[in-house]
Amino acid sequence: MINEIFSLDKRSLERKVLNYDLVVVGGGMAGVCCAITAARQGIKVALIQDRPVLGGNASSEVRLWMLGATSHMGNNNRWSREGGVIDEILVENTYRNKEGNPVLFDMVLVDKVLAEKNIDLYLNTIAYTIEKSSDKVISKVFAFNPQNQTEYVFCSDLFADCSGDGLVSYLSGASYRIGAEDKEEYNELFAPDKNEYGELLGHSIFFYMKDTGKPVDYVAPDFALKDIEEMIPKMMNPEYFSVNQHGCKYWWLEYGGRIDTIHDTEVIKYELWKVVYGVWDYIKNSGKYPEAANFTLEWVGVIPGKRESRRFKGHYMLTQQDVIEQRNHYDSVAYGGWSIDLHPADGVYSSKSGCNQWHSKGVYPIPYRTYVSYDIDNLFIGGRLISASHVAFGSSRVMCTTAHGGQAIGMAAAFCIKENKNPAYYIDNEKIKIIQRELIATGQYIPQLELNDFGGLATKAAISVSSELQLKKLKPSGTYFAITYPVGMLLPLQSGTVPTVKAVINVKESTTLQVQLRTSQKKFNFTPDSIVLEKSYALSKGHQELAINFDDLTIESGYYFLCFMKNESIEIAESDNLITGVMPVYNYQNPAVSNFGAQLPTEDIGVDSFEFWCPKRRPIAKNLALTFEPAIEGFDSENLRTEIFRPVVNSNAWIADFNDENPTLRIEWDKKEQISEIALFFDTDADHAMENVQMGHYDSSMPFCVKEYKIFDDEGNTLYHTTSNHQTINKISFSEGVTTKAIVIELQHPSDLTPASLFGVNIA
Ligand SMILES: Cc1cc2nc3c(=O)[nH]c(=O)nc-3n(C[C@H](O)[C@H](O)[C@H](O)COP(=O)(O)OP(=O)(O)OC[C@H]3O[C@@H](n4cnc5c(N)ncnc54)[C@H](O)[C@@H]3O)c2cc1C
């Protein structure tokens, strides 16, 4: 028992002084992915998060779906889901929680962080001040946890500010901006008219509702907004409002773009509660929505999701041109691919379109310099506060992009600690390569980056395989796609002549079908902006086979779109076969991401005009049932030597033949090698946007992914066997080490419809 007597002295809080290699402030997706990446490199990390759960705007407190380059699969960024830790998290969440329950997602994150012995997680712990050891060096971050009444002093040589509003960077004195740059400053033609459009994006609060099965009355709080139709014009617009929607669909309940999005946050919160409870009152009590009689409010956000505030100065400012022109940088370490997405400052009360989104033709690299504080020597800046102009921020702010950047910071921090350097040391053409290389080894995709020597043992070894896919046929499933809008097949073709393609079609009445072979002007893109050949076929009524012959046309290797243009008289046979690196795309609309079939800016705002050819989601998405003569090749084992673990220019995968009953890969050296780890890179469909909440997904594990495989040594001893893989990267560690002259990996096909594939093997 404790029975303390009255003390004349003021009591003090319990205080803990702690030392870490890296202190990460902010447990949003940037902070989480930064901390995990750094910890896996062996450095000791403190992850400080002021709220009870991780995820920031992706947590169950705000309930935003994480997005990034895949852009709800509504633009031309194929196979662009961000790699590394963020991919692992999304794949795991889809496996455990394909329905997108936000509460379960919280625990996916907590589970991932708790699994790292090098991370100490401090939830409910708010960083509130800092100490510097010199003008340009932070030495301590002070934080307080009201739940355990403990004050913490985090001492470190390195800090990563992933706190959204940038508290640590701000207190350290670092240069920052709030608001929009003038058009002239960086020659950004999309820079907004500040009076018309404002300078900042506002906050939002969402609600969830549920059908209780019996009538539920609702009495609104007195503060709830009245005159909804007059005050919120978008409630009258079916593009924005339908009575059955909730959560992220109300992204446009936005407020605060004309006030101080940091110091007025509480003002903004009350305004947004006023809006939310007023909107619900309108739904329940206006008499217009009898279908809402049984609905009740299940949850309303109590913390506003913040979009924009401070952006800090790094060694490079990302601008509109970097995004739109997909500019390459010697020090690229991450990428973006969401549209440049700016909103009217009056938010929910505006009669303007809720967002103004312009896409680039593909993903764009983000340089390391945007993550390194210009002013403070031992500070990384991560998440939405990175060094980007207001316009570029319109794209770089989304959470898979911030997470990917967080991973780059985590990796760089580990090198800083191990080599006793400051972050700016790696701003160098040569020195950055060590970080890029290690990032790639952990699954980070860095567009346009060429590294020739991956460095693993597998590259030195002889590789042989039991079979290699010769893609002759995608078998008909019995279903047909009516070409009411154009459909294309995205195919990796080898240099030389183009195979003859045969399709099975139903022609309802005599017609002429246009077929185009297209490719991308930039080889690494998937925007079909270059028509290589156009053919037309006069077809008579009936079920028939159409042979498409490309005559003497010769091509360079790369991705090509075989496009069947809109023809309402024709339907084309589909296939249930799924092949790594082969997929259908459709020239159709996805208004959720401002895809109206084509991007056609009406004035010169510095963005491109082009068509959107995008996928559909399973189970609707199906390949077309085509035969190829000669077969499409290029799915060979040499692809295992590259360091690109997703389709770009080439499938980059070894794919076994459908008929190979025991797909086997043998990696052999001249002499016995000592092995401690094998990493395998599987296909978890980087094209699938794995939104973490609300949306739900058809598959819990991706149908391309090898579930069962065995690994043997040179004497046939089983080193590893699993029957339940669903992850992209499998790292198998041998604590005692293995001495062997060969590694043999036997894969099982994921299903009868999908041949086994592998993007890479790294053996250390
Ligand atoms: C309504 C809305 C819609 C959006 N739409 C999308 C979308 O659909 N998809 C998408 O990907 N992005 C979307 N965004 C953008 C995205 O959510 C943000 O840009 C993103 O969350 C930024 O990530 P972050 O890690 O920098 O910040 P956050 O997600 O805000 O994470 C920062 C974390 O730091 C913590 N923190 C702050 N201060 C401290 C402190 N002093 N001490 C300790 N911890 C601290 C916070 O609690 C928070 O958890 C939207 C944003 C809003 C508000």
Side-chain angles (χ1 to χ4, degrees):
M1 180 192 159
I2 297 170
N3 186 2
E4 289 235 10
I5 58 162
F6 173 61
S7 162
L8 289 177
D9 294 331
K10 189 168 81 102
R11 289 192 178 114
S12 301
L13 288 169
E14 184 164 324
R15 174 182 260 222
K16 288 191 175 158
V17 181
L18 304 157
N19 287 290
Y20 288 95
D21 293 324
L22 171 68
V23 172
V24 180
V25 178
M29 294 316 301
V32 166
C33 291
C34 171
I36 294 176
T37 306
R40 287 181 180 174
Q41 295 298 311
I43 68 170
K44 204 70 195 137
V45 182
L47 176 58
I48 307 170
Q49 161 68 354
D50 61 356
R51 303 202 305 239
V53 288
L54 295 165
N57 282 354
S59 77
S60 63
E61 305 151 307
V62 180
R63 307 195 175 194
L64 266 162
W65 45 41
M66 262 190 263
L67 292 170
T70 52
S71 189
H72 282 313
M73 293 154 74
N75 68 9
N76 289 344
N77 301 343
R78 299 285 56 76
W79 293 293
S80 65
R81 195 176 68 240
E82 294 72 9
V85 176
I86 185 62
D87 171 74
E88 181 183 322
I89 288 170
L90 291 177
V91 170
E92 197 58 39
N93 183 59
T94 308
Y95 181 68
R96 297 184 189 186
N97 176 29
K98 75 180 166 76
E99 293 75 19
N101 179 333
V103 180
L104 296 182
F105 178 67
D106 285 346
M107 291 308 121
V108 169
L109 290 184
V110 169
D111 215 16
K112 281 281 168 211
V113 169
L114 293 183
E116 297 300 330
K117 64 178 185 347
N118 283 333
I119 299 182
D120 287 339
L121 174 61
Y122 297 89
L123 291 176
N124 297 311
T125 304
I126 181 157
Y128 63 88
T129 191
I130 64 142
E131 205 171 280
K132 294 207 260 184
S133 56
S134 68
D135 289 351
K136 298 185 128 223
V137 176
I138 301 172
S139 53
K140 292 173 187 156
V141 162
F142 294 79
F144 175 61
N145 180 335
Q147 296 295 317
N148 62 12
Q149 293 195 354
T150 303
E151 190 184 22
Y152 295 92
V153 184
F154 294 100
C155 311
S156 182
D157 288 338
L158 269 187
F159 296 85
D161 188 350
C162 301
S163 66
D165 289 338
L167 183 99
V168 172
S169 312
Y170 175 73
L171 294 177
S172 74
S175 333
Y176 70 94
R177 294 174 175 220
I178 294 186
E181 282 74 22
D182 289 329
K183 208 172 262 190
E184 294 70 32
E185 184 171 1
Y186 293 105
N187 201 19
E188 295 175 305
L189 298 180
F190 186 48
D193 172 336
K194 296 182 191 180
N195 290 331
E196 262 284 286
Y197 220 70
E199 297 206 42
L200 280 172
L201 309 188
H203 303 353
S204 291
I205 285 183
F206 300 149
F207 64 87
Y208 270 35
M209 63 185 185
K210 89 173 173 198
D211 189 339
T212 62
K214 58 181 188 329
V216 180
D217 290 337
Y218 170 68
V219 181
D222 291 343
F223 65 74
L225 188 71
K226 316 282 183 305
D227 305 322
I228 292 292
E229 291 181 4
E230 201 180 306
M231 296 295 294
I232 308 182
K234 291 187 179 66
M235 289 300 287
M236 310 302 291
N237 182 344
E239 275 179 31
Y240 291 90
F241 172 71
S242 85
V243 67
N244 294 313
Q245 71 185 24
H246 68 185
C248 295
K249 295 275 182 184
Y250 281 105
W251 58 266
W252 48 274
L253 297 187
E254 176 172 350
Y255 181 74
R258 290 203 192 269
I259 52 179
D260 181 340
T261 53
I262 296 175
H263 299 101
D264 288 333
T265 280
E266 288 293 301
V267 175
I268 297 171
K269 179 191 74 181
Y270 286 117
E271 188 68 24
L272 287 168
W273 272 350
K274 189 171 137 186
V275 167
V276 165
Y277 287 100
V279 164
W280 191 246
D281 191 26
Y282 173 72
I283 291 171
K284 290 291 289 184
N285 297 325
S286 65
K288 287 193 159 183
Y289 305 104
E291 62 271 47
N294 294 356
F295 293 175
T296 190
L297 263 188
E298 193 190 14
W299 168 87
V300 177
V302 291
I303 297 167
K306 291 185 177 183
R307 283 189 180 83
E308 181 173 11
S309 58
R310 302 182 183 112
R311 293 171 283 113
F312 286 85
K313 183 174 179 182
H315 290 254
Y316 184 86
M317 175 81 94
L318 196 77
T319 63
Q320 173 177 352
Q321 293 87 329
D322 289 307
V323 174
I324 297 300
E325 296 167 20
Q326 305 171 265
R327 286 185 180 170
N328 199 10
H329 306 276
Y330 73 89
D331 60 336
S332 304
V333 285
Y335 66 89
W338 184 252
S339 58
I340 294 177
D341 179 1
L342 299 180
H343 301 186
D346 293 323
V348 63
Y349 299 125
S350 173
S351 52
K352 293 188 173 58
S353 171
C355 64
N356 203 350
Q357 298 183 323
W358 299 98
H359 298 259
S360 15
K361 285 185 174 183
V363 298
Y364 60 89
I366 303 181
Y368 175 66
R369 285 163 291 164
T370 61
Y371 302 112
V372 178
S373 167
Y374 184 81
D375 301 299
I376 301 294
D377 290 344
N378 62 342
L379 178 65
F380 287 104
I381 45 181
R384 66 178 162 87
L385 54 83
I386 67 165
S387 188
S389 69
H390 172 71
V391 173
F393 156 92
S395 168
S396 65
R397 68 195 174 90
V398 290
M399 288 182 273
C400 294
T401 308
T402 62
H404 211 234
Q407 290 163 197
I409 293 174
M411 185 63 75
F415 277 101
C416 289
I417 295 299
K418 287 183 206 162
E419 299 189 354
N420 197 20
K421 303 288 183 206
N422 278 334
Y425 173 81
Y426 296 96
I427 301 179
D428 175 274
N429 211 0
E430 282 305 311
K431 295 186 183 104
I432 191 68
K433 287 198 167 79
I434 190 172
I435 293 171
Q436 292 168 324
R437 188 177 303 280
E438 207 51 41
L439 278 169
I440 285 171
T442 56
Q444 190 104 344
Y445 171 56
I446 305 178
Q448 301 180 47
L449 181 74
E450 284 180 19
L451 288 173
N452 295 322
D453 173 19
F454 185 69
L457 279 185
T459 52
K460 289 192 271 166
I463 296 178
S464 58
V465 288
S466 55
S467 68
E468 285 166 348
L469 176 71
Q470 312 268 312
L471 184 56
K472 294 189 194 81
K473 183 169 189 166
L474 294 162
K475 289 186 196 141
S477 60
T479 59
Y480 285 78
F481 175 76
I483 318 177
T484 50
Y485 43 85
V487 57
M489 278 293 290
L490 197 39
L491 301 167
L493 299 180
Q494 301 300 298
S495 59
T497 54
V498 182
T500 298
V501 180
K502 290 182 181 159
V504 175
I505 54 175
N506 267 328
V507 181
K508 285 189 250 166
E509 58 191 38
S510 300
T511 183
T512 300
L513 173 66
Q514 304 291 336
V515 179
Q516 295 177 352
L517 188 69
R518 298 192 185 194
T519 191
S520 292
Q521 285 165 8
K522 289 181 181 161
K523 287 308 261 182
F524 48 80
N525 275 351
F526 293 98
T527 289
D529 48 7
S530 170
I531 299 176
V532 183
L533 190 75
E534 191 160 14
K535 300 206 105 180
S536 48
Y537 296 90
L539 301 167
S540 46
K541 187 175 170 180
H543 186 78
Q544 55 199 277
E545 187 179 78
L546 170 69
I548 303 156
N549 194 314
F550 297 92
D551 312 320
D552 297 331
L553 175 71
T554 56
I555 55 165
E556 289 172 20
S557 60
Y559 265 97
Y560 288 82
F561 296 72
L562 180 64
C563 303
F564 297 85
M565 305 312 284
K566 177 177 173 174
N567 189 317
E568 300 201 342
S569 302
I570 297 181
E571 50 183 29
I572 182 162
E574 294 177 314
S575 171
D576 285 332
N577 286 140
L578 292 171
I579 314 282
T580 292
V582 171
M583 63 180 290
V585 285
Y586 307 83
N587 177 220
Y588 81 122
Q589 303 195 2
N590 187 342
V593 291
S594 301
N595 162 353
F596 301 102
Q599 175 163 292
L600 299 170
T602 50
E603 54 184 304
D604 186 8
I605 52 168
V607 302
D608 294 316
S609 301
F610 59 93
E611 290 176 1
F612 291 105
W613 288 72
C614 311
K616 296 185 173 222
R617 292 180 191 244
R618 285 182 292 278
I620 295 168
K622 286 186 177 194
N623 283 322
L624 300 180
L626 304 176
T627 55
F628 306 99
E629 179 57 45
I632 297 178
E633 297 183 346
F635 305 107
D636 44 77
S637 57
E638 280 305 298
N639 289 335
L640 296 171
R641 295 190 194 275
T642 71
E643 59 281 339
I644 304 177
F645 306 124
R646 59 181 63 212
V648 186
V649 185
N650 180 11
S651 75
N652 293 316
W654 163 54
I655 308 182
D657 192 80
F658 277 109
N659 299 318
D660 184 348
E661 288 184 2
N662 197 19
T664 305
L665 162 69
R666 186 178 175 87
I667 299 167
E668 188 155 8
W669 297 272
D670 295 340
K671 56 178 183 37
K672 294 245 183 206
E673 296 276 357
Q674 177 76 9
I675 285 169
S676 57
E677 187 179 87
I678 300 177
L680 300 174
F681 295 76
F682 291 106
D683 181 3
T684 50
D685 190 4
D687 201 65
H688 186 77
M690 291 182 171
E691 293 88 349
N692 57 311
V693 294
Q694 188 168 337
M695 238 173 116
H697 303 278
Y698 180 66
D699 306 294
S700 54
S701 56
M702 295 301 108
F704 301 90
C705 184
V706 168
K707 292 173 190 61
E708 178 170 6
Y709 65 91
K710 286 182 187 159
I711 304 179
F712 304 97
D713 67 8
D714 54 358
E715 290 173 2
N717 299 310
T718 306
L719 300 177
Y720 185 75
H721 179 200
T722 183
T723 55
S724 56
N725 173 48
H726 57 271
Q727 269 294 352
T728 314
I729 304 178
N730 283 206
K731 268 195 180 152
I732 300 116
S733 300
F734 307 105
S735 52
E736 306 288 302
V738 172
T739 308
T740 183
K741 207 165 166 284
I743 287 292
V744 177
I745 304 170
E746 282 182 13
L747 308 177
Q748 293 293 309
H749 294 299
S751 73
D752 292 345
L753 297 166
T754 305
S757 67
L758 191 62
F759 284 120
V761 185
N762 191 20
I763 301 180

